[in-house]
């Protein structure tokens, strides 16, 4: 095991640096979560994602009908980890009420964008474009128009791409919200997952 | 000198029958949780707690560095099975805990850390000794709280202890701003209301136990690997019964050292990177693998596709579902308590001898005994053999990190399971000595041995003062090779033989260091001196150091070369 006498080569040089493997492909997970709306809870969620080597692509968060319970939709790339780790690790957070991977579940998704366009001197192009968007005009003055557009994430992305060449085109976009109508997210679902016989508790 | 006006220290003029303040409520909540011992160090932001500490039936071990407090709470918890508690001030005090908390959390040890914080209205202002300990500790805690209302303190403490011990144990931190410690608490609030209470998983699913029992019954070459989860569950007896019923050999992870008697005919010893030849061969050749109370990290599996490659079935028992399928894929993942699962499987199988497999395992044992060179210099294994000869079943052995740890684990002997503590997940140098003090604080009547390298020992050696101060008579055995030995071996074997920054020739004379702190110290460098030195250390009523100067070139073998499979282990070249 020790160094050869000529000091040149270790018997384990065949272990010398190897290329770093690529992550096992893009298997972004769509995750629906409910959590207790306490101070710092989002920090716990994002810390878990970073700590486990996942990557957060999008996030939408807001209230639910249940007081004190927030609902989230996350798109998370599991990186090098097995995809089920996303839900299993998030389920361990004490403030998490439920967490489901709905990637492979029939679901509906919705995204909203606020688009700003410069009108002055370009009304002839901008105003018809705004009309074609079929969005809701939230603000219009001589200089600018702000219009809200919404739709399924992929469709909205295409629509926004089409606006890129318009004068002063700028937008902000919410992370997609998703829900699986066949599988309503309930308080009980995380507890049920804990008892899952598959041993994949916290999993699907 | 006259006392200063009490503007700084709050309510000195309080009437004895007045409502308690947050600090008192906090301390009472700890007492209510059964806490008897706290490891800590005071500072500006936790002074109200220290002001009232003497009023409560709590023993406080004054540490010399907060990292020591965290490791002591950890060692206390590992040795006793109770929650360890440490206490630090804000800012640097709180941040000094972090390494110790990470060490405990990685090894699933229930510890509750309490930190002082700057007053609520100063949080975020970069006030003196402010640190975001919640943010800094997020990834090394199971949960944490910053208390903004003193009335919540009893409920927070109760929930923190519940979370620390329930399911997979871990670290919980409670950050208490100074004004909250000083606030008067008229009506404490009830328990924290949660939409989903944190609870242990239900008992292992019967269908999966059936399946596991079927696989094991049909197996001709079963192997069991056991980790610290077996200790946490108190399932050493169940492990042994199942192993005997299956006639299945048992290997242990580093953290599982001590869960299975080394003298048992089915004992394989350590698995993994520096595991025994017999164990690594058995795992490689088994047709069914049962892993219980362990995670299967890279130090266990080595190259993943070379781990149990012939196993038709991998049964994996862990209380944390996230550990199942994280590295090793299991076709029979069982969530639940290790003891319940082992007993459940045991109840479903008929005992069956497996003579051929036993003979094969014995042949590997004979072919790959633990070997070390005999070159006239003191060998670490000789020191450890003398130590373990003196060890009684309930004596606690705590190992540090590095070669000393691996030698201590692979040499461990016992006819019964016995406590062997070390930092497995984080591999934190400097863990052993303070952890040993914590173990000693948990039970003064147990003997506690700390096996450490000289490199790791000096990382926390200032706690010698704590040992003397708090009368914690730990016996330290320094396996002194005058180098960062494990790194030196890695450099020799895996990094081109370039010995870079591993020389520790300049190390204190530990006998003088012992004297400086008022302890007993003795130095040895030959095998025949070791026994008498250990006896002298054991006879000495206080903390003692045996500084054993071992062969500086001694290595750990077998070892699996980095990136290779378990079966590719390399044995000690010079020894026969
Ligand atoms: C805090 C910390 N820093 C660095 C390391 C990396 N490391 C692992 S083993 C080792 C050498 C330990 O030397 P020593 O304590 O003398 O023990 P030996 O290996 O010689 O028995 C080092 C530096 C570590 N594990 N922990």
């Amino acid at each position: 095991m020790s160094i050869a006498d000529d000091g040149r080569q270790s018997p384990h040089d065949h272990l010398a640096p190897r290329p770093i493997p690529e992550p096992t492909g893009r298997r972004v997970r769509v995750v629906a979560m409910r959590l207790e709306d306490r101070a710092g809870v989002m920090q716990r969620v994002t810390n878990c994602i970073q700590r486990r080597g996942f990557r957060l692509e999008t996030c939408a968060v807001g209230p639910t009908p249940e007081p004190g319970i927030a609902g989230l939709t996350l798109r998370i790339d599991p990186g090098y980890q097995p995809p089920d780790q996303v839900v299993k690790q998030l389920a361990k957070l004490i403030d998490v009420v439920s967490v489901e991977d709905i990637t492979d579940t029939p679901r509906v998704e919705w995204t909203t964008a606020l688009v700003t366009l410069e009108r002055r001197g370009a009304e002839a192009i901008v105003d018809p474009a705004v009309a074609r968007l079929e969005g809701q005009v939230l603000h219009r003055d001589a200089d600018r128009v702000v219009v809200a557009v919404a739709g399924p994430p992929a469709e909205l992305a295409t629509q926004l791409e089409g606006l890129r060449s318009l004068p002063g085109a700028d937008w902000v976009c919410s992370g997609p919200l998703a829900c699986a109508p066949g599988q309503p997210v309930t308080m009980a679902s995380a507890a049920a997952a804990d008892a899952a016989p598959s041993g994949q508790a916290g999993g699907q | 000198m006259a006392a200063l006006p009490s503007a700084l220290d709050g309510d000195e003029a309080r009437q004895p029958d007045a409502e308690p303040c947050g600090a008192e409520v906090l301390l009472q909540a700890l007492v209510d949780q059964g806490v008897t011992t706290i490891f800590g160090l005071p500072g500006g932001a936790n002074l109200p707690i220290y002001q009232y500490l003497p009023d409560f039936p709590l023993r406080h071990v004054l540490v010399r560095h907060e990292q020591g407090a965290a490791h002591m709470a950890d060692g206390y918890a590992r040795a006793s099975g109770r929650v360890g508690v440490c206490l630090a001030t804000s800012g640097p005090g709180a941040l000094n805990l972090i390494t110790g908390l990470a060490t405990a959390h990685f090894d699933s040890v229930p510890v509750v850390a309490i930190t002082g914080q700057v007053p609520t209205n100063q949080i975020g202002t970069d006030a003196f000794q402010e640190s975001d300990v919640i943010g800094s500790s997020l990834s090394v805690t199971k949960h944490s709280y910053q208390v903004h209302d003193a009335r919540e303190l009893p409920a927070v403490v109760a929930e923190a202890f519940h979370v620390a011990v329930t399911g997979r144990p871990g670290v919980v931190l409670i950050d208490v701003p100074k004004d909250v410690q000083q606030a008067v608490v008229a009506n404490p609030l009830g328990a924290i209301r949660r939409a989903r209470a944190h609870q242990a998983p239900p008992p292992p699913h019967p269908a999966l136990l059936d399946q596991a029992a079927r696989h094991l019954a049909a197996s001709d070459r079963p192997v069991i690997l056991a980790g610290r989860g077996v200790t946490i569950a108190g399932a050493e007896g169940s492990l042994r019964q199942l192993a005997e019923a299956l006639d299945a050999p048992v290997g242990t992870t580093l953290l599982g050292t001590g869960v299975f008697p080394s003298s048992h005919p089915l004992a394989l010893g350590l698995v993994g990177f520096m595991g025994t030849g017999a164990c690594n061969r058995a795992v490689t050749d088994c047709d069914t693998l049962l892993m219980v109370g362990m995670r299967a990290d890279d130090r266990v599996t080595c190259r993943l596709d070379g781990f149990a490659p012939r196993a038709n079935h991998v049964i994996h028992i862990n209380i944390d579902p996230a550990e199942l399928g994280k590295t090793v894929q299991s076709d029979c993942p069982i969530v639940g308590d290790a003891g319940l699962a082992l007993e459940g499987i045991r109840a479903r199988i008929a005992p069956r001898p497996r003579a051929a497999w036993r003979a094969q395992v014995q042949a590997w044992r004979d072919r790959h005994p633990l070997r070390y060179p005999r070159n006239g210099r003191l060998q670490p294994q000789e020191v450890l053999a003398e130590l373990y000869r003196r060890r009684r079943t309930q004596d606690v052995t705590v190992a540090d990190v590095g070669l000393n740890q691996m030698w201590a684990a692979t040499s461990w002997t016992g006819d019964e399971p016995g406590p062997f503590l070390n930092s497995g997940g984080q591999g934190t140098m400097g863990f052993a000595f303070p952890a040993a003090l914590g173990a000693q604080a948990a039970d003064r009547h147990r003997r506690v041995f700390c096996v450490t390298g000289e490199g790791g020992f000096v990382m926390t050696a200032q706690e010698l003062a704590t040992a003397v101060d708090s009368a914690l008579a730990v016996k330290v055995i320094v396996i002194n090779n005058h180098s960062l030995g494990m790194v030196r071996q890695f450099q020799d074997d895996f990094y081109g033989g370039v010995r870079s920054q591993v020389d520790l020739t300049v190390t204190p004379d530990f006998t003088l260091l012992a004297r400086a702190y008022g302890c007993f110290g003795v130095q040895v460098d030959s095998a025949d001196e070791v026994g008498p030195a250990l006896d002298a250390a054991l006879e000495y009523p206080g903390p003692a150091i045996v500084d054993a100067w071992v062969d500086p070139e001694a290595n750990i073998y077998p070892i699996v070369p980095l990136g290779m499979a378990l079966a590719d282990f390399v044995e000690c070249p010079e020894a026969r």
Side-chain angles (χ1 to χ4, degrees):
Chain A
M1 279 289 285
S2 51
I3 288 306
D5 284 338
D6 60 1
R8 232 174 357 94
Q9 208 200 18
S10 136
H12 305 301
D13 274 2
H14 58 286
L15 303 172
R18 282 173 293 167
I20 295 168
E22 287 295 317
T24 6
R26 317 247 338 136
R27 304 153 301 171
V28 171
R29 313 312 297 174
V30 180
V31 174
M33 260 172 109
R34 300 273 159 132
L35 40 81
E36 309 234 8
D37 193 2
R38 295 176 195 276
V41 68
M42 283 309 290
Q43 193 187 6
R44 295 180 196 280
V45 171
T46 52
N47 178 263
C48 173
I49 291 167
Q50 185 273 336
R51 149 88 176 93
R52 293 291 163 188
F54 312 149
R55 209 178 69 85
L56 182 58
E57 292 211 331
T58 64
C59 170
V61 56
T64 66
E66 223 120 359
I69 304 293
L72 276 82
T73 305
L74 308 166
R75 292 173 62 90
I76 300 174
D77 178 347
Y80 293 98
Q81 304 302 317
D84 65 344
Q85 279 291 309
V86 170
V87 154
K88 284 176 164 182
Q89 295 297 349
L90 288 169
K92 293 205 284 183
L93 298 175
I94 302 296
D95 290 332
V96 166
V97 178
S98 70
V99 48
E100 325 226 2
D101 185 329
I102 56 171
T103 317
D104 302 320
T105 313
R107 64 177 192 275
V108 291
E109 278 186 289
W110 202 250
T111 311
T112 303
L114 295 183
V115 180
T116 308
L117 298 169
E118 305 277 358
R119 292 181 70 226
R120 191 177 289 275
E123 298 87 347
I125 316 167
V126 168
D127 288 354
V130 167
R132 278 196 305 275
L133 276 178
E134 292 180 357
Q136 188 172 346
V137 174
L138 304 178
H139 171 94
R140 191 197 297 263
D141 63 24
D143 291 325
R144 265 171 222 100
V145 57
V146 179
V147 53
V149 245
E155 281 173 34
L156 185 69
T158 317
Q159 217 176 357
L160 292 174
E161 270 319 301
L163 302 176
R164 199 175 275 285
S165 57
L166 291 177
D170 187 25
W171 57 80
V172 286
C173 219
S174 75
L177 283 164
C179 73
Q183 186 190 356
V185 179
T186 63
M187 298 297 189
S189 54
D194 283 348
S198 67
Q200 307 295 323
Q204 288 79 18
Chain B
M1 191 181 112
L4 291 169
S6 64
L8 288 176
D9 289 321
D11 50 4
E12 250 172 50
R14 227 168 35 89
Q15 298 304 311
D17 55 351
E19 305 287 1
C21 68
E24 292 172 286
V25 170
L26 171 70
L27 289 162
Q28 184 59 48
L30 294 177
V31 171
D32 292 345
Q33 289 297 323
V35 175
T36 57
T37 307
I38 297 178
F39 305 92
L41 197 143
N46 64 13
L47 280 177
I49 298 174
Y50 278 91
Q51 181 182 352
Y52 294 102
L53 182 65
D55 302 343
F56 289 84
L58 291 164
R59 176 157 70 118
H60 182 270
V61 174
L62 175 62
V63 301
R64 297 320 193 247
H65 186 294
E66 291 87 350
Q67 183 186 347
H71 288 321
M72 285 179 213
D74 179 342
Y76 178 96
R78 291 190 207 224
S80 68
R82 300 193 295 271
V83 177
V85 180
C86 54
L87 172 58
T89 189
S90 65
L95 296 181
N96 275 346
L97 291 177
I98 300 284
T99 303
L101 300 185
T103 305
H105 191 60
F106 250 66
D107 291 350
S108 311
V109 182
V111 165
V112 168
I114 297 165
T115 49
Q117 181 57 277
V118 301
T120 317
N121 64 356
Q122 290 181 22
I123 291 176
T125 65
D126 300 325
F128 178 64
Q129 290 196 330
E130 181 181 358
S131 67
D132 173 20
V133 67
I134 296 289
S136 308
S137 66
L138 270 184
S139 54
V140 299
T141 51
K142 189 169 169 184
H143 195 51
S144 53
Y145 305 82
Q146 188 172 68
V147 183
H148 290 257
D149 181 343
R151 294 175 304 159
E152 290 175 357
L153 279 164
V156 165
V157 170
E159 189 180 86
F161 275 70
H162 170 76
V163 168
V165 297
T166 303
R168 180 176 178 178
V171 172
V172 180
L173 184 139
I174 307 174
D175 194 31
V176 192
K178 187 172 168 182
D179 57 317
V180 173
Q181 298 169 40
Q182 292 177 314
V184 170
V185 184
N187 302 301
L189 299 176
I192 298 174
R193 298 236 313 267
R194 288 201 171 270
R196 179 174 69 133
H198 177 61
Q199 53 196 13
H205 201 281
L208 288 166
L209 296 176
D210 289 344
Q211 195 186 325
R214 268 200 311 279
H215 294 331
L216 287 164
S219 159
D220 292 322
R221 305 189 310 276
V223 165
I224 302 176
L225 292 178
R228 192 176 123 70
V230 174
T231 311
I232 297 171
E236 292 89 345
S238 311
L239 170 67
R240 182 176 177 158
Q241 281 171 11
L242 180 63
E244 287 173 353
L246 290 168
D247 214 3
V250 178
T252 53
T253 66
L254 195 48
L255 283 174
T257 306
V259 300
F260 197 74
S262 68
S263 57
H264 195 288
L266 289 168
L268 286 171
L270 183 69
V271 66
F273 187 32
M274 295 162 187
T276 65
C279 190
N280 286 349
R281 288 301 301 265
V283 171
T284 305
D285 266 36
C286 70
D287 63 5
T288 302
L289 179 64
L290 168 63
M291 301 192 289
V292 55
M294 57 179 279
R295 297 182 289 130
D297 80 348
D298 49 305
R299 287 286 152 116
V300 164
T301 63
C302 295
R303 208 179 71 207
L304 205 48
D305 59 7
F307 182 74
R310 300 184 184 75
N312 304 316
H313 301 292
V314 175
I315 303 154
H316 193 172
I317 301 166
N318 200 298
I319 201 159
D320 178 357
E323 294 303 340
L324 303 174
K326 192 173 81 175
T327 54
V328 175
Q329 294 309 309
S330 158
D331 61 317
C332 187
I334 302 178
V335 179
D337 174 84
L340 294 179
L342 290 170
E343 283 151 30
I345 296 173
R346 167 75 190 84
R348 286 168 167 79
I349 53 149
R352 175 185 139 196
R354 288 171 167 84
W357 179 228
R358 277 275 287 274
Q360 171 64 77
V361 170
Q362 189 54 46
W364 286 324
R365 256 195 218 106
D366 296 340
R367 217 164 105 217
H368 309 290
L370 285 176
R371 287 189 278 243
Y372 54 89
R374 297 183 199 253
N375 55 14
R377 310 200 65 154
L378 179 59
Q379 297 300 311
Q381 290 87 347
E382 295 172 325
V383 180
L384 290 157
E386 286 294 338
L387 171 65
Y388 288 140
R389 203 165 290 143
R390 285 162 179 76
R391 192 183 73 83
R392 304 188 207 115
T393 298
Q394 283 316 307
D395 291 350
V396 183
T397 310
V398 189
D400 203 62
V401 167
L403 293 178
N404 63 88
Q405 172 187 32
M406 306 313 301
W407 287 319
T410 51
S411 308
W412 187 86
T413 50
D415 296 331
E416 294 294 331
F420 180 92
L421 320 182
N422 70 128
S423 164
Q426 278 289 300
T428 305
M429 284 171 72
F431 163 81
F433 181 51
L437 296 178
Q440 187 74 76
D443 185 347
R444 288 176 178 283
H445 305 296
R446 272 177 167 188
R447 300 193 305 188
V448 180
F449 300 110
C450 163
V451 177
T452 177
E454 76 291 352
F457 184 49
V458 298
M459 287 194 177
T460 49
Q462 76 286 346
E463 304 301 342
L464 280 164
T466 309
V468 174
D469 190 7
S470 293
L472 300 169
V474 166
K475 312 301 172 186
V476 181
I477 296 92
V478 183
I479 307 287
N480 192 340
N481 54 9
H482 293 95
S483 74
L484 297 168
M486 181 174 279
V487 176
R488 194 260 307 139
Q489 180 177 355
F490 277 37
Q491 292 182 343
D492 286 353
D493 288 350
F494 308 132
Y495 293 91
V498 180
R499 290 193 176 182
S500 175
Q501 302 299 318
V502 288
D503 186 299
L504 293 184
T505 313
V506 179
T507 285
D509 178 330
F510 289 120
T511 62
L512 292 180
L513 189 72
R515 274 186 53 201
Y517 281 102
C519 311
F520 171 79
V522 53
Q523 193 183 84
V524 297
D525 63 2
S526 70
D528 53 347
E529 294 173 321
V530 175
L534 286 170
D535 290 334
L538 280 169
E539 265 155 43
Y540 183 75
I545 301 176
V546 176
D547 181 20
W549 287 34
V550 299
D551 181 356
E553 299 292 318
N555 283 335
I556 182 76
Y557 290 108
I559 186 168
V560 177
L562 297 179
M564 306 278 274
L566 280 188
D568 301 326
F569 63 86
V570 178
E571 291 182 274
C572 181
E574 311 106 272
R576 280 296 154 243

